[in-house]
Amino acid sequence: MDDSSRYYKKTGKNEKDEQLEQYREANTGPGKDLTSDAGLKISNDRWSLRAGRRGPTLFQDFHFYKKQSHFNRERIPEKVVHARGDGVYGEFELYKSMRHVTKAHFLQEPGCKTPVFVRFSTFIGNKGSKDTAVDIRGFATKFYTQEGNYDMLALSFAVFSVMDAMKFPDFVHAVKPNPRTDVPQATIAHDNAWDYIANNQEIAHFIMWLMSSRGRPRSWRMMEAWPVNTFRFINEHGKSTFVRFVWKPVLGVHSLLLDEANIIGGVDPDFHRRDLYEAIERGAYPEYELGVQLIPEEDECKYDFDILDDTKLWPEEVVPVEIIGKMTLNRPVDNFFSEEEQSSFDPSTVVPGIDFTNDPVLQGRSFAYRDTDYHRLGTGNINDIPVNQPIVERNFNQRQSDVRHRIDVDSVHYHENSLANNTPSETPPEKGGYAHYPEEVAGYKTRERPSESFYDFFSQSRLFWNSMPPVEKQNIVETFNFHLGYVQSKSVRQQVVDMFANVDKEMATVIADNIDVNPPSGGNVPVSASSPALNMENTPHYAYTQKVAVLIGNGFDGREVCSVLDTLRHCGVFVDIISEKLGTITGADGAKLEANKIFTSTYPVLFDSLYVVGGRSEGEAKFEQNIMHFVNEAYRHYKPIGVATTGQCYIQASKDNNLAGVVFAANNPNFGDDFVSAIAQQRFWHRK
């Protein structure tokens, strides 16, 4: 036995463990007061310091600055959040002039086209996590305008998780893996996350979105997105209009089932990235229409929600969405690291005609993003990186820093000066120089909430619940059950159930019964309103770009099958031919098809629909087993199934099923069209 072994046997620790002991400290427990890293006791760790109750955040709020700037440096070099993602280039075309509300150049003339770069991402997981995690998604767009870059940072939910940027580091700490074990990855199915949720109830509305189907999109191409913050449009006369933006996918908003998302995360963690590239390669370019919601400045306080509160949406039935343009994504990056990984987005990167409000989250974000990327990218020259460079001329006095490639030949690099005739010179606002809106600010320095409605955590959470169809309400309950089933603390589970009884008591009672806690004693808030715009049943449905797996062997009816495949492809359906082996499959009439996938390397959850043809195979028993596995999985996930005349043995009516969404070719001269219609419907929820 060596000395280290003897030491461990005697003390229960090895020498390294003993060495580390001097660095271990507990931050929680009785008598533990919150302090800064310099030992200063903190009186308010929840709200930033503002000039007046509804005023802007003050730069002198050193506690916010230190908390946020430290948080920004917590990961090297991976992004703290939104680490996993992908980016593509495209173009935005304006439908209609917005000159009456904004002087932004790219929103003036209908038909104006602006190059863009878009990055999609998940929020919680690291770079090696899965695309299909139950999570909020990022949808960041960089417009390369004629006035410089404009960054629009959107999320796949209409609401945010916190009311003030001060709390964002705490939220991220809570949802990230346990700091002791680094488990679990890319999920909130753990105690810390739900403990935070139960004790920070402003997050209720956000969690309702997360537990819904919107937390697991079918594709980035089928995902709605909102920048969540409230901005200002400023027109050429200096008039201000409050604005929120929304991206609406032309293909509609569609999602995965929880079971599908979990399985896909294991068998194809790159599912969304692969889907994006495949669509672009096939010429089915992802398209999104840009909508704006506008509120005149004089109407700021006329609503039952505060327009500066990012945990509240602006219901479309109350503040209509005006569609003003369309973005088309049509080109992948050439180098993932150089372009996607080094892309930088910052909500303070704006152009004349777009300005900030006193939205407490936006005020913090306008500082945090650029500071984060100074650290992450390791340079002050972020906009020298090609993907971030604007397309307009740049003249500035910043110098040096890491990876400086620009060779500045001027001997003068300061302002004001006489040696260079005071150039580069300022540009007055009337000639295109950026000027902030001269909003009047008055009030005492305070950390108060901007208005009383910031205390209302549940009215819009209830609105969201009321807007869901029955099948989606069941999905929400099941997603709660899944996540809370991993929570070890019964106290936390009980707190969550009691919290969400404010949204819907019946929902919370059903959840309580599934997770072994007492039913809630309280009831839901008295809100009966709903928003049809939130109901995904009302979204567009198309067969276009839906993925169909053709399950086939030798001996198929060539005339029938080829006719169906022609119909599918004509309608823009993506077809994969799956068989026992790659290569040529021969029909009974000599027709030939090429199998591009094999059963052993693909899975039924990766497809939106099946075309069951059948046929002969060398390994007959295994071939039959594989087809039945695909059929059973697609059927239980409510997906459409087309059945060729040679495939009827694989799915038959019985007293236990109603075959809803199953279309048979036998004796059906309109099979192709009927199958396409079923594919467009996508799910058959009344199936049994």
Side-chain angles (χ1 to χ4, degrees), residues 637-661:
H637 289 147
Y638 309 99
K639 294 178 179 179
I641 301 173
V643 183
T645 53
T646 53
Q648 292 184 90
C649 61
Y650 297 105
I651 184 165
Q652 299 178 356
S654 74
K655 61 181 179 61
D656 298 320
N657 65 36
N658 61 7
L659 298 187

Side-chain angles (χ1 to χ4, degrees), residues 203-217:
I203 202 174
H205 194 186
F206 177 91
I207 295 301
M208 291 301 297
W209 283 71
L210 183 63
M211 295 294 100
S212 77
S213 294
R214 290 183 186 261
R216 42 183 193 271

Side-chain angles (χ1 to χ4, degrees), residues 499-538:
M499 170 184 172
F500 282 93
N502 291 285
V503 177
D504 188 77
K505 184 171 184 178
E506 182 180 353
M507 174 190 74
T509 301
V510 172
I511 295 170
D513 184 57
N514 281 283
I515 61 173
D516 189 32
V517 297
N518 297 324
S521 56
N524 48 258
V525 294
V527 173
S528 59
S530 64
S531 171
L534 299 177
N535 185 339
M536 289 170 57
E537 288 187 346
N538 298 328

